[in-house]
Amino acid sequence: MVKKNLKVLIITSVVILLPILAGLLLWNQLPEQIPSHWNANGEVDGWSSKAFSVFGMPLIMLAFQWICTLGTGADPKKANHPQKIVHLVLWIIPILSTVLHIIVYMVALGQNVRVEVVMPVLVGLVLTIVGNYLPKCKQNYTIGIKIPWTLDSEENWNRTHRFAGWLWTICGLLLILTGFFGGFWIFFAVVLVMVLVPLLYSYILHRKGI
């Protein structure tokens, strides 16, 4: 996994660490306490030190990136991982990290950022893309809907992922809309549907002997 995707892994790791360079360039302009968490209404309700925001957050994201990569590489069925899906997984954390740091720095510098709009749109976009790739995901232990019924039956896995693919695509688009027209509870309800409905569908298939 690491050797096969070393070039992409190096590029994505550099992207994750770029906010450190940006933070150093902005160091004298950044306040000592920087916003690090927002509530459902887009109001800041958590703060971190400047040092942690500039250095700690990117390093934590980098650690997550490598943990995910090494975990995926240890999958006994890693041969079933299509390269497009592997590359998608490798780019999710760098993209999210970059957007989050842009938001953090902009807010810290006094810019007005509507986090309650940006984050649902970003999450919805990522999940829509993932939804398009789910049907192409073959049976494995690290990527996809990994529950006993899908892991026990390849047909159950394939049907569940085809079903979840279009469901996640639709729900991802709905999440994008919640950024402009909805609220936290609508966002939460849509995410709940994305998680629970495929599980129920897989269980029904299992009960039918599939």
Side-chain angles (χ1 to χ4, degrees), residues 48-65:
S48 297
S49 67
K50 178 162 62 174
F52 179 80
S53 298
V54 173
F55 299 104
M57 289 175 60
L59 291 175
I60 290 173
M61 290 292 189
L62 182 64
F64 282 145
Q65 176 79 340

Side-chain angles (χ1 to χ4, degrees), residues 2 12 23-24 41 45 57 78 94 128 145-146 157 162 169 182 201:
V2 174
T12 53
L24 289 174
N41 296 318
D45 62 359
M57 289 175 60
K78 60 185 176 183
T128 299
I145 302 171
K146 305 172 295 297
W157 173 284
R162 283 196 297 268
T169 300
Y201 179 79

Side-chain angles (χ1 to χ4, degrees), residues 60-82:
I60 290 173
M61 290 292 189
L62 182 64
F64 282 145
Q65 176 79 340
W66 277 87
I67 289 171
C68 290
T69 301
L70 294 175
T72 303
D75 188 342
K77 293 188 176 183
K78 60 185 176 183
N80 285 344
H81 298 158

Side-chain angles (χ1 to χ4, degrees), residues 93-112:
I93 291 178
I95 292 172
L96 291 176
S97 177
T98 300
V99 174
L100 287 173
H101 278 90
I102 290 174
I103 292 173
V104 167
Y105 288 156
M106 288 182 66
V107 174
L109 294 173
Q111 299 296 316
N112 183 27

Side-chain angles (χ1 to χ4, degrees), residues 7-158:
K7 182 178 179 180
V8 176
L9 186 56
I10 291 174
I11 293 173
T12 53
S13 296
V14 170
V15 171
I16 292 173
L17 293 176
L18 282 178
I20 294 180
L21 176 60
L24 289 174
L25 294 174
L26 296 170
W27 187 266
N28 293 330
Q29 301 176 51
L30 295 172
E32 290 304 318
Q33 293 295 313
I34 294 179
S36 59
H37 192 271
W38 288 259
N39 61 25
N41 296 318
E43 301 165 343
V44 178
D45 62 359
W47 303 79
S48 297
S49 67
K50 178 162 62 174
F52 179 80
S53 298
V54 173
F55 299 104
M57 289 175 60
L59 291 175
I60 290 173
M61 290 292 189
L62 182 64
F64 282 145
Q65 176 79 340
W66 277 87
I67 289 171
C68 290
T69 301
L70 294 175
T72 303
D75 188 342
K77 293 188 176 183
K78 60 185 176 183
N80 285 344
H81 298 158
Q83 277 301 102
K84 288 185 178 180
I85 293 180
V86 172
H87 287 173
L88 174 64
V89 171
L90 288 175
W91 275 104
I92 288 177
I93 291 178
I95 292 172
L96 291 176
S97 177
T98 300
V99 174
L100 287 173
H101 278 90
I102 290 174
I103 292 173
V104 167
Y105 288 156
M106 288 182 66
V107 174
L109 294 173
Q111 299 296 316
N112 183 27
V113 180
R114 296 191 61 188
V115 179
E116 73 279 11
V117 173
V118 175
M119 292 313 298
V121 170
L122 177 62
V123 172
L125 182 60
V126 169
L127 293 178
T128 299
I129 295 173
V130 171
N132 277 277
Y133 278 97
L134 273 181
K136 305 178 182 69
C137 188
K138 297 180 181 179
Q139 199 176 42
N140 69 93
Y141 295 106
T142 51
I143 301 174
I145 302 171
K146 305 172 295 297
I147 53 179
W149 313 304
T150 57
L151 294 175
D152 286 343
S153 167
E154 188 172 356
E155 186 176 358
N156 189 305
W157 173 284
N158 292 334

Side-chain angles (χ1 to χ4, degrees), residues 147-201:
I147 53 179
W149 313 304
T150 57
L151 294 175
D152 286 343
S153 167
E154 188 172 356
E155 186 176 358
N156 189 305
W157 173 284
N158 292 334
R159 289 196 186 189
T160 298
H161 282 74
R162 283 196 297 268
F163 171 77
W166 68 260
L167 178 66
W168 277 43
T169 300
I170 293 173
C171 287
L173 294 173
L174 290 176
L175 289 178
I176 293 174
L177 293 176
T178 63
F180 300 98
F181 306 108
F184 172 77
W185 292 111
I186 298 177
F187 181 93
F188 180 77
V190 173
V191 172
L192 206 60
V193 167
M194 295 177 68
V195 173
L196 296 181
V197 173
L199 301 185
L200 178 61
Y201 179 79

